[in-house]
Amino acid sequence: MNKTEWRQHLATQQAQFSPNDDNIIDSFSASTSEQTTYITPLLYQGMLSIKGLDSAKFLQGQLTCDVHKASAQQSILGAVCSPQGRMFSSFRLLQKNNEAEPEFLLRMRSDLVDSSHETLHKYSVFFKTQLTNASDEWLGLGIWGDQSEQLISDIFALTELPQQAGQAISNETTIVIRVPGDTARFECWVKADQISADWQLLIAKAKPTATYNWILEDIKQGIAEVCFTTLNAFNPHMVNFQAIDAISFDKGCYTGQEIVARTHYRGKSKRHMQRFSLSGGKLLAPGDNLINPDSQKTIATVVAAALTSNTGQDITQEALLVTSSDLDSSSPLTLQHDEQTYQSTIQPLPYSLD
């Protein structure tokens, strides 16, 4: 089963897809379960495989993170930058448990896998490494909530589970990574030929839910991702990557490193990311610009947004916004986008930017 066939299978399971993006599930219309364990197909995520003897050496010269800190038991976050220090992709880096021929997986937004492949390939020709779009080989599920640990252990036949955020455990058909969350939360990457059978077992004890419910959990944790509409829009400091250990400042050179290091050591970034709750208006999308209605100046750019409620005219959402560092956010802000007005209030992040 490839990704297209998996999407078609989910449609038979009453998945309702966004009219703007068939990798986003708006809802499962038949889901009336009262379960407090949730499962979300991660169609909006894809995999880029980097395989070969020189793979670690190649990636170390391209990624913001220290590749040597990744292992089969530990995933890490990072970004790939242009020479100007702008992010053209962000990812979670996984290493396969295969010493004979090292293989790394970059889990990133589906709409960036092909462009990231094309850009990185220009540098990879000098190394013994091969890049492949592995999005049809590995299919993702987000699982979280009260009984998620027991459910994952039972269905995927794992004798132990990762206990700290970023830790991973795998067997022949599954990779399970614990990710930050207010409750136990896991990314599970399943071999494509196994996904349908596992899905049927999982939904017997977990409630299928919309893509944005999973994205909302990332927003609460202050974890940003680059997607196609924000490609080359931000440098790593703008989205707080220094606060989530997605940048190594002592690993040596990589593409864009000079700009990233200069921002860190020689001055404070003029823009950084904050979490906001917003009411009014429609759901925002990554790359949307928000303006001050009085000055008509752009004061924020959307990194991610997800609905928290949608009852009639009462729409509320949470969003990660890149704003000016000197923005006075001590009181509610009125913002506008596309003639829609939003009342916004800053929310805490689980990390410090100091």
Side-chain angles (χ1 to χ4, degrees):
M1 176 176 288
N2 60 30
K3 193 169 186 177
T4 298
E5 292 168 337
W6 172 228
R7 189 184 295 108
Q8 293 168 345
H9 178 75
L10 290 170
T12 69
Q13 304 282 301
Q14 307 301 315
Q16 305 295 309
F17 292 90
S18 167
N20 301 317
D21 187 344
D22 63 5
N23 283 322
I24 298 293
I25 296 174
D26 282 340
S27 66
F28 280 89
S29 62
S31 178
T32 58
S33 169
E34 297 300 321
Q35 294 282 352
T36 55
T37 302
Y38 305 94
I39 182 169
T40 302
L42 303 181
L43 289 167
Y44 76 109
Q45 300 282 11
M47 284 283 194
L48 181 63
S49 167
I50 299 91
K51 187 176 184 179
L53 294 177
D54 289 344
S55 296
K57 183 179 180 181
F58 161 65
L59 289 174
Q60 190 75 329
Q62 298 300 323
L63 311 184
T64 61
C65 56
D66 187 347
V67 175
H68 299 307
K69 292 184 178 180
S71 69
Q73 294 77 41
Q74 184 67 45
S75 70
I76 55 177
L77 298 172
V80 198
C81 297
S82 69
Q84 294 75 35
R86 293 284 172 148
M87 302 162 64
F88 64 81
S89 182
S90 60
F91 56 79
R92 182 175 289 278
L93 174 65
L94 317 171
Q95 184 174 8
K96 294 288 296 301
N97 192 12
N98 184 0
E99 295 181 359
E101 187 174 26
E103 181 180 4
F104 296 87
L105 297 171
L106 295 183
R107 190 274 290 146
M108 63 181 68
R109 286 295 186 107
S110 294
D111 56 9
L112 293 181
V113 174
D114 287 338
S115 60
S116 297
H117 181 292
E118 181 180 356
T119 302
L120 287 170
H121 179 68
K122 298 174 184 177
Y123 302 97
S124 70
V125 295
F126 304 105
F127 298 87
K128 294 178 182 179
T129 188
Q130 182 178 3
L131 280 66
T132 307
N133 187 336
S135 299
D136 282 335
E137 179 183 354
W138 293 97
L139 299 171
L141 300 170
I143 303 175
W144 78 104
D146 294 343
Q147 301 300 316
S148 57
E149 293 177 281
Q150 187 63 54
L151 181 60
I152 290 169
S153 179
D154 292 345
I155 301 302
F156 298 133
L158 297 171
T159 57
E160 57 181 333
L161 291 178
Q163 297 301 308
Q164 301 295 324
Q167 289 181 349
I169 193 166
S170 62
N171 55 29
E172 291 183 358
T173 62
T174 311
I175 304 170
V176 176
I177 310 113
R178 196 178 195 109
V179 295
D182 294 334
T183 63
R185 194 163 74 106
F186 301 88
E187 280 186 34
C188 304
W189 290 93
V190 182
K191 282 285 191 177
D193 58 3
Q194 185 68 28
I195 190 76
S196 178
D198 286 346
W199 172 260
Q200 294 305 129
L201 296 172
L202 287 162
I203 61 174
K205 295 185 178 180
K207 181 177 181 178
T209 189
T211 305
Y212 284 113
N213 290 335
W214 179 264
I215 293 176
L216 179 61
E217 295 300 312
D218 278 342
I219 290 172
K220 291 177 178 178
Q221 298 304 313
I223 300 173
E225 285 190 307
V226 177
C227 62
F228 185 77
T229 53
T230 56
L231 188 152
N232 291 324
F234 309 120
N235 66 43
H237 282 84
M238 290 180 187
V239 292
N240 305 349
F241 267 32
Q242 77 282 5
I244 59 172
D245 297 324
I247 310 172
S248 172
F249 295 104
D250 54 15
K251 61 171 275 187
C253 294
Y254 56 88
T255 302
Q257 181 263 345
E258 182 180 354
I259 305 299
V260 176
R262 185 185 303 158
T263 301
H264 186 71
Y265 290 114
R266 295 188 180 180
K268 190 175 181 180
S269 177
K270 294 181 180 179
R271 301 174 70 199
H272 67 264
M273 188 178 71
Q274 299 189 76
R275 173 186 164 209
F276 285 85
S277 61
L278 302 100
S279 60
K282 61 184 180 181
L283 178 64
L284 294 164
D288 285 347
N289 288 320
L290 292 159
I291 65 170
N292 181 320
D294 295 326
S295 66
Q296 294 297 301
K297 291 183 178 180
T298 297
I299 60 173
T301 302
V302 179
V303 178
L307 290 175
T308 52
S309 71
N310 184 8
T311 56
Q313 298 300 312
D314 183 19
I315 295 175
T316 61
Q317 60 188 297
E318 284 206 10
L320 295 174
L321 307 179
V322 172
T323 68
S324 171
S325 298
D326 58 6
L327 177 71
D328 181 8
S329 55
S330 58
S331 58
L333 298 170
T334 300
L335 303 170
Q336 285 185 346
H337 169 71
D338 197 21
E339 299 183 352
Q340 304 266 323
T341 299
Y342 301 82
Q343 301 300 322
S344 62
T345 305
I346 194 169
Q347 300 295 322
L349 290 168
Y351 50 72
S352 171
L353 296 178
D354 295 336

